[in-house]
Amino acid sequence: MNAMLTRDMQLVAEVIGEDAALKLMSRLGGVSIYIPRPGPADILAKLRSNAMDVKVTAAELGVSQSKVYRVLKEFRESRDVRQMTIFDMLEEGYDKD
């Protein structure tokens, strides 16, 4: 590993390669960059691409399985899974002009 890389940049170089890390330093040197953890949308997308395999998704994203289950539960709870019937529409006043 290149001696001019800081510990943080060594971590970056492990992921993107040393040449890319050095290029990043030369183009953005002095700029602070925050790398967020995967959010709910990222977790759901990865979960779908992994055929809903929670263990694989958690391992690939570096989050706990309980985090994946929690995001999935929140997503399911946020959706109204029942379809509105004509009776629901009448009850809510959709028949009024």
Side-chain angles (χ1 to χ4, degrees), residues 42-59:
D42 303 315
I43 292 171
L44 289 170
K46 182 60 82 170
L47 194 56
R48 285 186 193 105
S49 73
N50 285 333
M52 303 304 281
D53 189 322
V54 171
K55 283 185 178 185
V56 171
T57 299

Side-chain angles (χ1 to χ4, degrees), residues 12-80:
V12 171
E14 288 174 12
V15 175
I16 65 172
E18 189 172 325
D19 289 339
L22 290 170
K23 185 174 182 179
L24 188 65
M25 288 173 59
S26 71
R27 301 274 307 273
L28 299 174
V31 173
S32 294
I33 299 173
Y34 170 73
I35 302 171
R37 293 191 178 274
D42 303 315
I43 292 171
L44 289 170
K46 182 60 82 170
L47 194 56
R48 285 186 193 105
S49 73
N50 285 333
M52 303 304 281
D53 189 322
V54 171
K55 283 185 178 185
V56 171
T57 299
E60 287 182 2
L61 293 176
V63 298
S64 67
Q65 290 179 38
S66 62
K67 172 72 175 177
V68 176
Y69 280 118
R70 192 169 41 253
V71 167
L72 186 57
K73 180 182 179 207
E74 289 169 3
F75 173 73
R76 287 179 175 158
E77 289 174 351
S78 71
R79 292 183 18 209
D80 184 10

